Amino acid sequence: MYRPNKLMLKIIKLFYGVEGVLDEYKLQQIDRIGNNAFLILFSYTIVSNLFVSFVSLNDSQMTLSIFILVNILFSLVVVVGYIAIAMKRLNLNNQEVIAENYSQKLNRIKRRALRRGAMMTIYFWCVERFLDWYFYHIPYIIGILSFRGYLKALIAGSILGVFMYIYWRSQLKKISD
Amino acid sequence: MNKVKSYRLNQGLTQTQLAYKVNVARQTISLIENDKYNPSLNLCKQIAKVLHTDLNSLFGGN
């Protein structure tokens, strides 16, 4: 059976949220789910591009804005939604933990969620400073002194951290052995 | 019906232990034992090796 290289395996695990061993059964199912997701996305691309090419004759700027928004929504809601449901249904991202290791695993998840939240806080802050500078010509130094900027980044990071903790915790499954 | 479960129990292994030895998830062993997944030849060979038997006894008919 075809087995992707180590880097590809890491990307697949990260993208599909697979914890633990990525064995041949999981790879086979992920191949199938990914293939279906591609078919959905490809069909959407063909239809939407055709539709937009006709509609854009009247108001191209407005059409472009709506097209970008719909594309993002479609990818996030339909494609990611399909992948998440399919993965959940087959229990592919379940993580089985022995009862005595459960609290240890829970602590590890807390630390991981905290790290992810901190990364999001930094990322959000940097992106917001860049967007302020790019669109509104606000110098970086003003952004550094803005308390609101820090607060917004902290809120975004906290939301992601809490969400990731809940998500990872929902994947944990306690087993007796 | 394959005989993975009976050979595994004969060896005194749990599904988790067997899964660890052949580097797959416990869920995969469970699916193989219940004939819900056809493993690759390579995995069959690994399982047979761990359970100290041959492919024919493990996955052959009868």
Side-chain angles (χ1 to χ4, degrees), chain A residues 1 3 21-26 28-29 90-92 96 98 173 175 177, chain B residues 14 16-17 23-28 31 36-43:
Chain A
M1 193 194 161
R3 184 130 183 112
V21 187
L22 183 56
D23 59 22
E24 57 172 55
Y25 168 73
K26 286 185 181 177
Q28 214 174 73
Q29 295 305 320
L90 293 168
N91 296 320
L92 293 178
E96 292 179 336
I98 300 169
K173 205 175 148 197
I175 55 168
D177 182 322
Chain B
T14 62
T16 313
Q17 286 166 334
N23 197 29
V24 296
R26 189 205 58 82
Q27 184 195 15
T28 306
L31 290 167
K36 286 180 180 166
Y37 171 62
N38 290 324
S40 68
L41 183 60
N42 200 29
L43 182 56

PDB file of all heavy atoms in Angstrom, chain A residues 1 3 21-26 28-29 90-92 96 98 173 175 177, chain B residues 14 16-17 23-28 31 36-43:
ATOM      1  N   MET A   1       0.834  -1.216   0.000  1.00  0.00           N
ATOM      2  CA  MET A   1       0.000   0.000   0.000  1.00  0.00           C
ATOM      3  C   MET A   1       0.862   1.257   0.000  1.00  0.00           C
ATOM      4  O   MET A   1       1.892   1.286   0.655  1.00  0.00           O
ATOM      5  CB  MET A   1      -0.885  -0.013   1.254  1.00  0.00           C
ATOM      6  CG  MET A   1      -1.983   1.012   1.196  1.00  0.00           C
ATOM      7  SD  MET A   1      -2.740   1.262   2.805  1.00  0.00           S
ATOM      8  CE  MET A   1      -3.505   2.845   2.541  1.00  0.00           C
ATOM      9  N   ARG A   3       2.429   4.602   0.945  1.00  0.00           N
ATOM     10  CA  ARG A   3       2.576   5.298   2.228  1.00  0.00           C
ATOM     11  C   ARG A   3       3.315   6.609   1.970  1.00  0.00           C
ATOM     12  O   ARG A   3       4.459   6.583   1.495  1.00  0.00           O
ATOM     13  CB  ARG A   3       3.380   4.402   3.180  1.00  0.00           C
ATOM     14  CG  ARG A   3       3.492   4.999   4.563  1.00  0.00           C
ATOM     15  CD  ARG A   3       3.119   4.020   5.632  1.00  0.00           C
ATOM     16  NE  ARG A   3       3.192   4.697   6.928  1.00  0.00           N
ATOM     17  CZ  ARG A   3       2.139   4.958   7.675  1.00  0.00           C
ATOM     18  NH1 ARG A   3       0.960   4.618   7.281  1.00  0.00           N
ATOM     19  NH2 ARG A   3       2.270   5.560   8.845  1.00  0.00           N
ATOM     20  N   VAL A  21      -1.590   7.150  15.899  1.00  0.00           N
ATOM     21  CA  VAL A  21      -1.042   6.462  14.718  1.00  0.00           C
ATOM     22  C   VAL A  21      -1.914   6.710  13.487  1.00  0.00           C
ATOM     23  O   VAL A  21      -3.132   6.594  13.559  1.00  0.00           O
ATOM     24  CB  VAL A  21      -0.976   4.931  14.974  1.00  0.00           C
ATOM     25  CG1 VAL A  21      -0.261   4.226  13.839  1.00  0.00           C
ATOM     26  CG2 VAL A  21      -0.303   4.641  16.291  1.00  0.00           C
ATOM     27  N   LEU A  22      -1.246   7.044  12.394  1.00  0.00           N
ATOM     28  CA  LEU A  22      -1.971   7.172  11.122  1.00  0.00           C
ATOM     29  C   LEU A  22      -1.691   5.889  10.337  1.00  0.00           C
ATOM     30  O   LEU A  22      -0.750   5.811   9.573  1.00  0.00           O
ATOM     31  CB  LEU A  22      -1.471   8.417  10.366  1.00  0.00           C
ATOM     32  CG  LEU A  22      -2.156   8.759   9.056  1.00  0.00           C
ATOM     33  CD1 LEU A  22      -3.647   8.930   9.240  1.00  0.00           C
ATOM     34  CD2 LEU A  22      -1.586  10.028   8.475  1.00  0.00           C
ATOM     35  N   ASP A  23      -2.511   4.868  10.581  1.00  0.00           N
ATOM     36  CA  ASP A  23      -2.242   3.568   9.960  1.00  0.00           C
ATOM     37  C   ASP A  23      -2.926   3.455   8.602  1.00  0.00           C
ATOM     38  O   ASP A  23      -3.522   4.406   8.108  1.00  0.00           O
ATOM     39  CB  ASP A  23      -2.661   2.435  10.901  1.00  0.00           C
ATOM     40  CG  ASP A  23      -4.136   2.510  11.264  1.00  0.00           C
ATOM     41  OD1 ASP A  23      -4.890   3.131  10.515  1.00  0.00           O
ATOM     42  OD2 ASP A  23      -4.530   1.965  12.309  1.00  0.00           O
ATOM     43  N   GLU A  24      -2.795   2.260   8.011  1.00  0.00           N
ATOM     44  CA  GLU A  24      -3.298   2.094   6.639  1.00  0.00           C
ATOM     45  C   GLU A  24      -4.817   2.235   6.539  1.00  0.00           C
ATOM     46  O   GLU A  24      -5.314   2.761   5.545  1.00  0.00           O
ATOM     47  CB  GLU A  24      -2.843   0.754   6.060  1.00  0.00           C
ATOM     48  CG  GLU A  24      -3.272  -0.455   6.887  1.00  0.00           C
ATOM     49  CD  GLU A  24      -2.958  -1.751   6.176  1.00  0.00           C
ATOM     50  OE1 GLU A  24      -1.801  -1.950   5.811  1.00  0.00           O
ATOM     51  OE2 GLU A  24      -3.898  -2.560   6.006  1.00  0.00           O
ATOM     52  N   TYR A  25      -5.542   1.837   7.578  1.00  0.00           N
ATOM     53  CA  TYR A  25      -7.008   1.977   7.535  1.00  0.00           C
ATOM     54  C   TYR A  25      -7.395   3.460   7.512  1.00  0.00           C
ATOM     55  O   TYR A  25      -8.193   3.901   6.684  1.00  0.00           O
ATOM     56  CB  TYR A  25      -7.646   1.279   8.750  1.00  0.00           C
ATOM     57  CG  TYR A  25      -9.105   1.625   8.934  1.00  0.00           C
ATOM     58  CD1 TYR A  25     -10.064   1.110   8.074  1.00  0.00           C
ATOM     59  CD2 TYR A  25      -9.513   2.497   9.949  1.00  0.00           C
ATOM     60  CE1 TYR A  25     -11.399   1.448   8.219  1.00  0.00           C
ATOM     61  CE2 TYR A  25     -10.849   2.834  10.095  1.00  0.00           C
ATOM     62  CZ  TYR A  25     -11.787   2.307   9.231  1.00  0.00           C
ATOM     63  OH  TYR A  25     -13.105   2.651   9.361  1.00  0.00           O
ATOM     64  N   LYS A  26      -6.758   4.223   8.422  1.00  0.00           N
ATOM     65  CA  LYS A  26      -7.063   5.657   8.484  1.00  0.00           C
ATOM     66  C   LYS A  26      -6.659   6.347   7.179  1.00  0.00           C
ATOM     67  O   LYS A  26      -7.382   7.198   6.672  1.00  0.00           O
ATOM     68  CB  LYS A  26      -6.337   6.297   9.667  1.00  0.00           C
ATOM     69  CG  LYS A  26      -6.941   5.948  11.014  1.00  0.00           C
ATOM     70  CD  LYS A  26      -6.261   6.693  12.126  1.00  0.00           C
ATOM     71  CE  LYS A  26      -6.857   6.318  13.470  1.00  0.00           C
ATOM     72  NZ  LYS A  26      -6.185   6.951  14.586  1.00  0.00           N
ATOM     73  N   GLN A  28      -6.508   5.038   4.225  1.00  0.00           N
ATOM     74  CA  GLN A  28      -7.458   4.654   3.176  1.00  0.00           C
ATOM     75  C   GLN A  28      -8.743   5.486   3.261  1.00  0.00           C
ATOM     76  O   GLN A  28      -9.243   5.988   2.257  1.00  0.00           O
ATOM     77  CB  GLN A  28      -7.789   3.177   3.370  1.00  0.00           C
ATOM     78  CG  GLN A  28      -8.028   2.424   2.092  1.00  0.00           C
ATOM     79  CD  GLN A  28      -8.211   0.956   2.381  1.00  0.00           C
ATOM     80  OE1 GLN A  28      -9.251   0.547   2.903  1.00  0.00           O
ATOM     81  NE2 GLN A  28      -7.220   0.155   2.076  1.00  0.00           N
ATOM     82  N   GLN A  29      -9.241   5.651   4.502  1.00  0.00           N
ATOM     83  CA  GLN A  29     -10.470   6.418   4.696  1.00  0.00           C
ATOM     84  C   GLN A  29     -10.249   7.896   4.388  1.00  0.00           C
ATOM     85  O   GLN A  29     -11.097   8.551   3.782  1.00  0.00           O
ATOM     86  CB  GLN A  29     -10.987   6.263   6.140  1.00  0.00           C
ATOM     87  CG  GLN A  29     -11.425   4.860   6.503  1.00  0.00           C
ATOM     88  CD  GLN A  29     -12.467   4.304   5.547  1.00  0.00           C
ATOM     89  OE1 GLN A  29     -13.377   5.011   5.119  1.00  0.00           O
ATOM     90  NE2 GLN A  29     -12.330   3.048   5.186  1.00  0.00           N
ATOM     91  N   LEU A  90     -16.577   8.092  11.320  1.00  0.00           N
ATOM     92  CA  LEU A  90     -15.721   6.903  11.290  1.00  0.00           C
ATOM     93  C   LEU A  90     -14.775   6.833  12.491  1.00  0.00           C
ATOM     94  O   LEU A  90     -13.907   5.972  12.553  1.00  0.00           O
ATOM     95  CB  LEU A  90     -14.904   6.890   9.993  1.00  0.00           C
ATOM     96  CG  LEU A  90     -15.690   6.686   8.706  1.00  0.00           C
ATOM     97  CD1 LEU A  90     -14.836   6.992   7.496  1.00  0.00           C
ATOM     98  CD2 LEU A  90     -16.216   5.260   8.613  1.00  0.00           C
ATOM     99  N   ASN A  91     -14.932   7.787  13.413  1.00  0.00           N
ATOM    100  CA  ASN A  91     -14.071   7.859  14.617  1.00  0.00           C
ATOM    101  C   ASN A  91     -12.582   7.920  14.266  1.00  0.00           C
ATOM    102  O   ASN A  91     -11.754   7.349  14.965  1.00  0.00           O
ATOM    103  CB  ASN A  91     -14.307   6.660  15.540  1.00  0.00           C
ATOM    104  CG  ASN A  91     -15.708   6.652  16.085  1.00  0.00           C
ATOM    105  OD1 ASN A  91     -16.253   7.698  16.433  1.00  0.00           O
ATOM    106  ND2 ASN A  91     -16.305   5.482  16.139  1.00  0.00           N
ATOM    107  N   LEU A  92     -12.269   8.587  13.164  1.00  0.00           N
ATOM    108  CA  LEU A  92     -10.869   8.605  12.728  1.00  0.00           C
ATOM    109  C   LEU A  92      -9.999   9.528  13.566  1.00  0.00           C
ATOM    110  O   LEU A  92      -8.796   9.351  13.642  1.00  0.00           O
ATOM    111  CB  LEU A  92     -10.772   9.015  11.249  1.00  0.00           C
ATOM    112  CG  LEU A  92     -11.357   8.030  10.254  1.00  0.00           C
ATOM    113  CD1 LEU A  92     -11.245   8.575   8.848  1.00  0.00           C
ATOM    114  CD2 LEU A  92     -10.637   6.699  10.343  1.00  0.00           C
ATOM    115  N   GLU A  96      -7.735   7.300  21.868  1.00  0.00           N
ATOM    116  CA  GLU A  96      -8.030   6.409  22.986  1.00  0.00           C
ATOM    117  C   GLU A  96      -6.946   6.522  24.051  1.00  0.00           C
ATOM    118  O   GLU A  96      -5.759   6.452  23.735  1.00  0.00           O
ATOM    119  CB  GLU A  96      -8.151   4.980  22.481  1.00  0.00           C
ATOM    120  CG  GLU A  96      -9.387   4.802  21.613  1.00  0.00           C
ATOM    121  CD  GLU A  96      -9.538   3.404  21.081  1.00  0.00           C
ATOM    122  OE1 GLU A  96      -8.537   2.689  20.970  1.00  0.00           O
ATOM    123  OE2 GLU A  96     -10.687   3.045  20.777  1.00  0.00           O
ATOM    124  N   ILE A  98      -5.759   5.266  28.047  1.00  0.00           N
ATOM    125  CA  ILE A  98      -5.975   4.346  29.172  1.00  0.00           C
ATOM    126  C   ILE A  98      -6.408   5.179  30.373  1.00  0.00           C
ATOM    127  O   ILE A  98      -5.885   6.285  30.594  1.00  0.00           O
ATOM    128  CB  ILE A  98      -4.686   3.554  29.469  1.00  0.00           C
ATOM    129  CG1 ILE A  98      -4.279   2.753  28.226  1.00  0.00           C
ATOM    130  CG2 ILE A  98      -4.866   2.620  30.653  1.00  0.00           C
ATOM    131  CD1 ILE A  98      -2.908   2.156  28.292  1.00  0.00           C
ATOM    132  N   LYS A 173     -11.028   9.452  24.328  1.00  0.00           N
ATOM    133  CA  LYS A 173     -11.931   8.361  24.679  1.00  0.00           C
ATOM    134  C   LYS A 173     -11.222   7.496  25.711  1.00  0.00           C
ATOM    135  O   LYS A 173     -10.138   6.970  25.442  1.00  0.00           O
ATOM    136  CB  LYS A 173     -12.243   7.557  23.420  1.00  0.00           C
ATOM    137  CG  LYS A 173     -13.539   6.816  23.479  1.00  0.00           C
ATOM    138  CD  LYS A 173     -13.791   6.162  22.137  1.00  0.00           C
ATOM    139  CE  LYS A 173     -14.548   4.881  22.322  1.00  0.00           C
ATOM    140  NZ  LYS A 173     -14.476   4.029  21.154  1.00  0.00           N
ATOM    141  N   ILE A 175     -10.369   4.336  27.759  1.00  0.00           N
ATOM    142  CA  ILE A 175     -10.539   2.872  27.646  1.00  0.00           C
ATOM    143  C   ILE A 175      -9.929   2.204  28.874  1.00  0.00           C
ATOM    144  O   ILE A 175      -9.034   2.763  29.507  1.00  0.00           O
ATOM    145  CB  ILE A 175      -9.920   2.301  26.344  1.00  0.00           C
ATOM    146  CG1 ILE A 175      -8.434   2.692  26.211  1.00  0.00           C
ATOM    147  CG2 ILE A 175     -10.687   2.713  25.133  1.00  0.00           C
ATOM    148  CD1 ILE A 175      -7.716   1.924  25.121  1.00  0.00           C
ATOM    149  N   ASP A 177      -8.143  -0.622  28.968  1.00  0.00           N
ATOM    150  CA  ASP A 177      -6.775  -1.111  28.734  1.00  0.00           C
ATOM    151  C   ASP A 177      -6.189  -0.382  27.550  1.00  0.00           C
ATOM    152  O   ASP A 177      -6.775  -0.327  26.522  1.00  0.00           O
ATOM    153  CB  ASP A 177      -6.812  -2.616  28.448  1.00  0.00           C
ATOM    154  CG  ASP A 177      -5.415  -3.145  28.259  1.00  0.00           C
ATOM    155  OD1 ASP A 177      -4.575  -2.459  27.660  1.00  0.00           O
ATOM    156  OD2 ASP A 177      -5.149  -4.248  28.702  1.00  0.00           O
TER     157      ASP A 177
ATOM    158  N   THR B  14      -3.911  -8.036  24.499  1.00  0.00           N
ATOM    159  CA  THR B  14      -5.118  -7.223  24.328  1.00  0.00           C
ATOM    160  C   THR B  14      -5.052  -6.595  22.936  1.00  0.00           C
ATOM    161  O   THR B  14      -4.001  -6.605  22.292  1.00  0.00           O
ATOM    162  CB  THR B  14      -5.187  -6.104  25.377  1.00  0.00           C
ATOM    163  OG1 THR B  14      -4.052  -5.259  25.191  1.00  0.00           O
ATOM    164  CG2 THR B  14      -5.202  -6.637  26.785  1.00  0.00           C
ATOM    165  N   THR B  16      -5.089  -3.490  22.289  1.00  0.00           N
ATOM    166  CA  THR B  16      -4.156  -2.359  22.369  1.00  0.00           C
ATOM    167  C   THR B  16      -2.714  -2.837  22.232  1.00  0.00           C
ATOM    168  O   THR B  16      -1.912  -2.217  21.523  1.00  0.00           O
ATOM    169  CB  THR B  16      -4.334  -1.624  23.714  1.00  0.00           C
ATOM    170  OG1 THR B  16      -5.720  -1.411  23.926  1.00  0.00           O
ATOM    171  CG2 THR B  16      -3.607  -0.303  23.732  1.00  0.00           C
ATOM    172  N   GLN B  17      -2.398  -3.944  22.897  1.00  0.00           N
ATOM    173  CA  GLN B  17      -1.020  -4.459  22.833  1.00  0.00           C
ATOM    174  C   GLN B  17      -0.668  -4.934  21.419  1.00  0.00           C
ATOM    175  O   GLN B  17       0.418  -4.636  20.913  1.00  0.00           O
ATOM    176  CB  GLN B  17      -0.850  -5.612  23.832  1.00  0.00           C
ATOM    177  CG  GLN B  17      -0.776  -5.122  25.270  1.00  0.00           C
ATOM    178  CD  GLN B  17      -0.949  -6.251  26.277  1.00  0.00           C
ATOM    179  OE1 GLN B  17      -1.574  -7.272  25.982  1.00  0.00           O
ATOM    180  NE2 GLN B  17      -0.407  -6.059  27.462  1.00  0.00           N
ATOM    181  N   ASN B  23       2.026  -1.507  15.030  1.00  0.00           N
ATOM    182  CA  ASN B  23       1.996  -0.073  14.731  1.00  0.00           C
ATOM    183  C   ASN B  23       0.741   0.388  13.982  1.00  0.00           C
ATOM    184  O   ASN B  23       0.816   1.054  12.952  1.00  0.00           O
ATOM    185  CB  ASN B  23       3.268   0.310  13.946  1.00  0.00           C
ATOM    186  CG  ASN B  23       3.504   1.802  13.972  1.00  0.00           C
ATOM    187  OD1 ASN B  23       3.124   2.480  14.922  1.00  0.00           O
ATOM    188  ND2 ASN B  23       4.104   2.328  12.924  1.00  0.00           N
ATOM    189  N   VAL B  24      -0.415  -0.029  14.494  1.00  0.00           N
ATOM    190  CA  VAL B  24      -1.682   0.490  13.972  1.00  0.00           C
ATOM    191  C   VAL B  24      -2.539   0.929  15.162  1.00  0.00           C
ATOM    192  O   VAL B  24      -2.143   0.712  16.315  1.00  0.00           O
ATOM    193  CB  VAL B  24      -2.469  -0.566  13.136  1.00  0.00           C
ATOM    194  CG1 VAL B  24      -1.727  -0.965  11.890  1.00  0.00           C
ATOM    195  CG2 VAL B  24      -2.817  -1.785  13.973  1.00  0.00           C
ATOM    196  N   ALA B  25      -3.694   1.537  14.876  1.00  0.00           N
ATOM    197  CA  ALA B  25      -4.587   1.949  15.959  1.00  0.00           C
ATOM    198  C   ALA B  25      -5.373   0.736  16.474  1.00  0.00           C
ATOM    199  O   ALA B  25      -5.605  -0.214  15.711  1.00  0.00           O
ATOM    200  CB  ALA B  25      -5.544   3.011  15.453  1.00  0.00           C
ATOM    201  N   ARG B  26      -5.801   0.777  17.724  1.00  0.00           N
ATOM    202  CA  ARG B  26      -6.573  -0.330  18.293  1.00  0.00           C
ATOM    203  C   ARG B  26      -7.856  -0.565  17.493  1.00  0.00           C
ATOM    204  O   ARG B  26      -8.279  -1.698  17.276  1.00  0.00           O
ATOM    205  CB  ARG B  26      -6.928  -0.028  19.753  1.00  0.00           C
ATOM    206  CG  ARG B  26      -7.534  -1.203  20.500  1.00  0.00           C
ATOM    207  CD  ARG B  26      -8.389  -0.756  21.639  1.00  0.00           C
ATOM    208  NE  ARG B  26      -9.467   0.126  21.228  1.00  0.00           N
ATOM    209  CZ  ARG B  26     -10.621  -0.283  20.720  1.00  0.00           C
ATOM    210  NH1 ARG B  26     -10.855  -1.572  20.542  1.00  0.00           N
ATOM    211  NH2 ARG B  26     -11.556   0.578  20.351  1.00  0.00           N
ATOM    212  N   GLN B  27      -8.421   0.546  17.044  1.00  0.00           N
ATOM    213  CA  GLN B  27      -9.652   0.503  16.256  1.00  0.00           C
ATOM    214  C   GLN B  27      -9.469  -0.378  14.992  1.00  0.00           C
ATOM    215  O   GLN B  27     -10.377  -1.115  14.616  1.00  0.00           O
ATOM    216  CB  GLN B  27      -9.977   1.940  15.853  1.00  0.00           C
ATOM    217  CG  GLN B  27     -11.259   2.132  15.112  1.00  0.00           C
ATOM    218  CD  GLN B  27     -11.283   3.513  14.449  1.00  0.00           C
ATOM    219  OE1 GLN B  27     -10.275   4.177  14.312  1.00  0.00           O
ATOM    220  NE2 GLN B  27     -12.463   3.931  14.059  1.00  0.00           N
ATOM    221  N   THR B  28      -8.283  -0.307  14.395  1.00  0.00           N
ATOM    222  CA  THR B  28      -8.008  -1.080  13.181  1.00  0.00           C
ATOM    223  C   THR B  28      -7.999  -2.582  13.493  1.00  0.00           C
ATOM    224  O   THR B  28      -8.549  -3.378  12.729  1.00  0.00           O
ATOM    225  CB  THR B  28      -6.660  -0.646  12.566  1.00  0.00           C
ATOM    226  OG1 THR B  28      -6.702   0.775  12.386  1.00  0.00           O
ATOM    227  CG2 THR B  28      -6.387  -1.311  11.235  1.00  0.00           C
ATOM    228  N   LEU B  31     -11.531  -3.663  13.865  1.00  0.00           N
ATOM    229  CA  LEU B  31     -12.195  -3.792  12.556  1.00  0.00           C
ATOM    230  C   LEU B  31     -11.760  -5.065  11.837  1.00  0.00           C
ATOM    231  O   LEU B  31     -12.573  -5.736  11.209  1.00  0.00           O
ATOM    232  CB  LEU B  31     -11.875  -2.564  11.679  1.00  0.00           C
ATOM    233  CG  LEU B  31     -12.505  -1.240  12.112  1.00  0.00           C
ATOM    234  CD1 LEU B  31     -11.872  -0.071  11.368  1.00  0.00           C
ATOM    235  CD2 LEU B  31     -13.998  -1.245  11.843  1.00  0.00           C
ATOM    236  N   LYS B  36     -14.486  -6.216   9.248  1.00  0.00           N
ATOM    237  CA  LYS B  36     -15.028  -4.985   8.666  1.00  0.00           C
ATOM    238  C   LYS B  36     -13.964  -4.242   7.864  1.00  0.00           C
ATOM    239  O   LYS B  36     -14.210  -3.198   7.280  1.00  0.00           O
ATOM    240  CB  LYS B  36     -15.583  -4.082   9.765  1.00  0.00           C
ATOM    241  CG  LYS B  36     -16.898  -4.604  10.324  1.00  0.00           C
ATOM    242  CD  LYS B  36     -17.433  -3.711  11.394  1.00  0.00           C
ATOM    243  CE  LYS B  36     -18.741  -4.261  11.937  1.00  0.00           C
ATOM    244  NZ  LYS B  36     -19.136  -3.628  13.171  1.00  0.00           N
ATOM    245  N   TYR B  37     -12.757  -4.743   7.903  1.00  0.00           N
ATOM    246  CA  TYR B  37     -11.678  -4.128   7.136  1.00  0.00           C
ATOM    247  C   TYR B  37     -10.732  -5.213   6.652  1.00  0.00           C
ATOM    248  O   TYR B  37     -10.346  -6.098   7.430  1.00  0.00           O
ATOM    249  CB  TYR B  37     -10.930  -3.105   8.003  1.00  0.00           C
ATOM    250  CG  TYR B  37      -9.669  -2.583   7.366  1.00  0.00           C
ATOM    251  CD1 TYR B  37      -9.729  -1.882   6.155  1.00  0.00           C
ATOM    252  CD2 TYR B  37      -8.427  -2.786   7.934  1.00  0.00           C
ATOM    253  CE1 TYR B  37      -8.573  -1.420   5.547  1.00  0.00           C
ATOM    254  CE2 TYR B  37      -7.270  -2.315   7.335  1.00  0.00           C
ATOM    255  CZ  TYR B  37      -7.348  -1.642   6.142  1.00  0.00           C
ATOM    256  OH  TYR B  37      -6.210  -1.186   5.538  1.00  0.00           O
ATOM    257  N   ASN B  38     -10.386  -5.162   5.363  1.00  0.00           N
ATOM    258  CA  ASN B  38      -9.419  -6.107   4.802  1.00  0.00           C
ATOM    259  C   ASN B  38      -8.027  -5.485   4.856  1.00  0.00           C
ATOM    260  O   ASN B  38      -7.735  -4.576   4.093  1.00  0.00           O
ATOM    261  CB  ASN B  38      -9.772  -6.436   3.346  1.00  0.00           C
ATOM    262  CG  ASN B  38     -11.029  -7.258   3.266  1.00  0.00           C
ATOM    263  OD1 ASN B  38     -11.293  -8.112   4.111  1.00  0.00           O
ATOM    264  ND2 ASN B  38     -11.832  -6.982   2.249  1.00  0.00           N
ATOM    265  N   PRO B  39      -7.175  -5.971   5.735  1.00  0.00           N
ATOM    266  CA  PRO B  39      -5.839  -5.365   5.847  1.00  0.00           C
ATOM    267  C   PRO B  39      -4.971  -5.692   4.635  1.00  0.00           C
ATOM    268  O   PRO B  39      -5.240  -6.647   3.911  1.00  0.00           O
ATOM    269  CB  PRO B  39      -5.274  -6.013   7.116  1.00  0.00           C
ATOM    270  CG  PRO B  39      -6.023  -7.271   7.277  1.00  0.00           C
ATOM    271  CD  PRO B  39      -7.363  -7.074   6.682  1.00  0.00           C
ATOM    272  N   SER B  40      -3.916  -4.894   4.472  1.00  0.00           N
ATOM    273  CA  SER B  40      -2.979  -5.137   3.373  1.00  0.00           C
ATOM    274  C   SER B  40      -2.181  -6.404   3.683  1.00  0.00           C
ATOM    275  O   SER B  40      -2.110  -6.844   4.842  1.00  0.00           O
ATOM    276  CB  SER B  40      -2.037  -3.946   3.227  1.00  0.00           C
ATOM    277  OG  SER B  40      -1.190  -3.876   4.358  1.00  0.00           O
ATOM    278  N   LEU B  41      -1.546  -6.954   2.655  1.00  0.00           N
ATOM    279  CA  LEU B  41      -0.756  -8.176   2.832  1.00  0.00           C
ATOM    280  C   LEU B  41       0.361  -7.934   3.846  1.00  0.00           C
ATOM    281  O   LEU B  41       0.662  -8.789   4.694  1.00  0.00           O
ATOM    282  CB  LEU B  41      -0.177  -8.603   1.479  1.00  0.00           C
ATOM    283  CG  LEU B  41       0.613  -9.901   1.472  1.00  0.00           C
ATOM    284  CD1 LEU B  41      -0.243 -11.075   1.915  1.00  0.00           C
ATOM    285  CD2 LEU B  41       1.182 -10.176   0.095  1.00  0.00           C
ATOM    286  N   ASN B  42       0.935  -6.748   3.762  1.00  0.00           N
ATOM    287  CA  ASN B  42       2.027  -6.406   4.671  1.00  0.00           C
ATOM    288  C   ASN B  42       1.579  -6.443   6.140  1.00  0.00           C
ATOM    289  O   ASN B  42       2.270  -6.991   6.998  1.00  0.00           O
ATOM    290  CB  ASN B  42       2.539  -5.014   4.298  1.00  0.00           C
ATOM    291  CG  ASN B  42       3.921  -4.770   4.832  1.00  0.00           C
ATOM    292  OD1 ASN B  42       4.701  -5.694   4.998  1.00  0.00           O
ATOM    293  ND2 ASN B  42       4.211  -3.511   5.117  1.00  0.00           N
ATOM    294  N   LEU B  43       0.408  -5.863   6.398  1.00  0.00           N
ATOM    295  CA  LEU B  43      -0.113  -5.856   7.773  1.00  0.00           C
ATOM    296  C   LEU B  43      -0.485  -7.268   8.217  1.00  0.00           C
ATOM    297  O   LEU B  43      -0.235  -7.647   9.364  1.00  0.00           O
ATOM    298  CB  LEU B  43      -1.317  -4.905   7.871  1.00  0.00           C
ATOM    299  CG  LEU B  43      -1.954  -4.748   9.241  1.00  0.00           C
ATOM    300  CD1 LEU B  43      -0.940  -4.300  10.285  1.00  0.00           C
ATOM    301  CD2 LEU B  43      -3.104  -3.750   9.197  1.00  0.00           C
TER     302      LEU B  43
END
